[in-house]
Amino acid sequence: MRARTTALTAACLALALASGPLAAAGASAAPAPASGAAPTPRSSTARAATGPDVEALSAAIAGLPDKDFTAADIRVGGDGTWRGTAGVRDIRTGAPALRDGRFRAGSVTKVVTASIVLQLAAEGRISLDGTVQHYLPGLLTEDFEPITVRQLLNYTSGLKPGPSLGETVDDGYPHRFETLTPRQVVAGSVAQGPAYRPGTRQTYGNIHYTVLGMLIEKVTGDSYAHQAQVRIFGPLGMRHTSFPVGADPRVHGPHNRGYDWIDGKLVDVTDWNMSDRWAAGDMISTTADLQRLLVALFRGRVVPEPQLREMFTVPDLPGARYGAGLERFELDGKVIWGKTGSRPGYATAIAATPDLSRTVVYDVTATDAKGDGAATAERFGYPAFNR
């Protein structure tokens, strides 16, 4: 199961970003299957000289649902476009998977959080060299050296992970309707003391962006969710992107159900209180909305220069690969930037070349989204790209 998860999440990005012949324009839609039957994948393409390998992409999503995935929705843009949707919306009814259904975008949320912080920096309301101790006095103990806003953005703050209600889906499932607030998460992190001196190491984790969410609220005097709406979602026309209200565990609006294997049984994990992930991973979105975000961000419509350069600047540290909210990697010498995210039942990615000659956004309802497959997707499928 985990090997298959690794293969598909990596393949979606690798095949979409690799050049290949693009089929002629066309579209097809499968009729709704009988209960329990697998629908035929639906795809559409636009004519171009070169583009994504449509045949390979179609093969990657064929045969869904299976034991590892129940649905996939993939959107490729740039020099040639391709759309692919496969699988089922609900395994009980066998209804075909939705195009542009809502899903939990997980850590793709960090792109929004970083964008808001960088907007505030552009407005002169914060300094990236300013410290957590200055903006959020009393949050950290005297055990901590000064931690800058920039070090939060690029994961070099030295903060340890905070508590959670379960490190795995199996552990967290019994607690899925409980609440662990961001302030409780940060307090638990601080109580452990620093992991290392700020700026000396890059360690990816949610804690950095949980503190950034608190910083946004302190500086603006407004809720993080409302700032995301008025600064990002509204201006970009991301009409189907939002954050849950309070501890609401539901995904509102049309969506594909998410599933995970728990104790040998395929369990519906769609309803889950994600409040502890908050500014680090609580966003609900669609592939269409994330495509708007990706393109607008790379075109400089979300974060102005020079702050935008922070997103594409990796600190000069061993093994570092993250800028402010985005990750850098190479495929056959081509630089690609993006972000992945995973929540129980859902695995998501956005990625593009700097010139937007190729973009990809996908969401798959993966039955091992937080397992080995998620770890591979979090690194953009490096093993698959380099083999």
Side-chain angles (χ1 to χ4, degrees):
M1 177 174 66
R2 289 178 175 175
R4 171 80 165 99
T5 306
T6 297
L8 182 55
T9 52
C12 289
L13 283 171
L15 295 173
L17 291 167
S19 295
L22 187 64
S28 64
S35 178
T40 302
R42 306 188 302 280
S43 65
S44 61
T45 59
R47 188 183 298 274
T50 61
D53 189 334
V54 172
E55 189 172 316
L57 278 166
S58 298
I61 64 173
L64 300 185
D66 59 23
K67 68 180 184 302
D68 304 318
F69 298 92
T70 59
D73 186 18
I74 305 171
R75 179 184 291 265
V76 181
D79 297 336
T81 61
W82 183 84
R83 286 294 314 278
T85 306
V88 296
R89 176 179 183 176
D90 186 325
I91 61 173
R92 296 173 303 171
T93 66
L98 295 170
R99 281 196 172 189
D100 289 323
R102 292 173 172 87
F103 52 82
R104 300 191 188 279
S107 287
V108 175
T109 306
K110 293 180 176 68
V111 177
V112 172
T113 303
S115 297
I116 297 172
V117 171
L118 293 171
Q119 285 182 2
L120 291 170
E123 295 164 9
R125 301 177 69 177
I126 64 171
S127 167
L128 298 184
D129 294 317
T131 66
V132 175
Q133 286 87 341
H134 172 73
Y135 292 112
L136 296 167
L139 183 68
L140 304 180
T141 66
E142 294 181 356
D143 296 329
F144 290 83
E145 295 184 27
I147 295 173
T148 68
V149 176
R150 181 179 284 105
Q151 288 165 346
L152 291 172
L153 284 166
N154 63 24
Y155 310 101
T156 62
S157 71
L159 291 171
K160 292 182 178 179
S164 73
L165 294 173
E167 294 302 317
T168 67
V169 175
D170 300 61
D171 292 339
Y173 185 75
H175 307 286
R176 65 193 182 281
F177 299 130
E178 298 176 21
T179 296
L180 187 62
T181 68
R183 187 162 291 278
Q184 289 173 315
V185 172
V186 174
S189 168
V190 171
Q192 302 175 65
Y196 49 83
R197 295 190 65 189
T200 62
R201 191 185 312 170
Q202 186 177 75
T203 305
Y204 178 85
N206 291 326
I207 189 64
H208 315 273
Y209 278 68
T210 302
V211 176
L212 286 172
M214 297 172 71
L215 172 65
I216 290 168
E217 293 198 335
K218 181 65 180 293
V219 170
T220 64
D222 192 13
S223 71
Y224 166 79
H226 188 249
Q227 283 293 299
Q229 176 61 42
V230 300
R231 288 176 173 272
I232 311 292
F233 306 157
L236 295 185
M238 297 171 65
R239 297 185 298 110
H240 304 300
T241 303
S242 62
F243 290 92
V245 177
D248 189 347
R250 295 167 294 176
V251 177
H252 292 274
H255 59 280
N256 298 318
R257 307 293 295 182
Y259 301 89
D260 206 292
W261 293 100
I262 299 176
D263 294 331
K265 297 179 180 179
L266 193 60
V267 177
D268 190 322
V269 294
T270 309
D271 296 338
W272 200 302
N273 173 10
M274 302 288 179
S275 58
D276 62 319
R277 294 303 191 261
W278 193 43
D282 200 15
M283 184 169 67
I284 293 171
S285 192
T286 66
T287 57
D289 277 5
L290 291 184
Q291 176 76 5
R292 291 188 183 95
L293 173 64
L294 180 65
V295 172
L297 181 67
F298 279 49
R299 286 180 175 169
R301 291 176 48 212
V302 179
V303 176
E305 288 283 359
Q307 288 75 25
L308 181 60
R309 289 198 295 270
E310 297 286 339
M311 304 192 84
F312 300 94
T313 301
V314 175
D316 185 16
L317 294 170
R321 63 180 188 271
Y322 292 95
L326 294 177
E327 181 181 5
R328 181 189 188 277
F329 68 102
E330 293 188 17
L331 171 63
D332 295 332
K334 180 185 296 184
V335 174
I336 299 164
W337 291 87
K339 188 71 188 76
T340 60
S342 61
R343 291 282 79 221
Y346 300 93
T348 305
I350 63 173
T353 54
D355 62 358
L356 292 173
S357 60
R358 185 63 49 77
T359 68
V360 59
V361 176
Y362 75 73
D363 173 67
V364 292
T365 49
T367 61
D368 188 29
K370 295 300 294 180
D372 288 350
T376 302
E378 195 68 21
R379 299 193 307 272
F380 290 89
Y382 277 24
F385 290 161
N386 295 327
R387 64 185 178 186

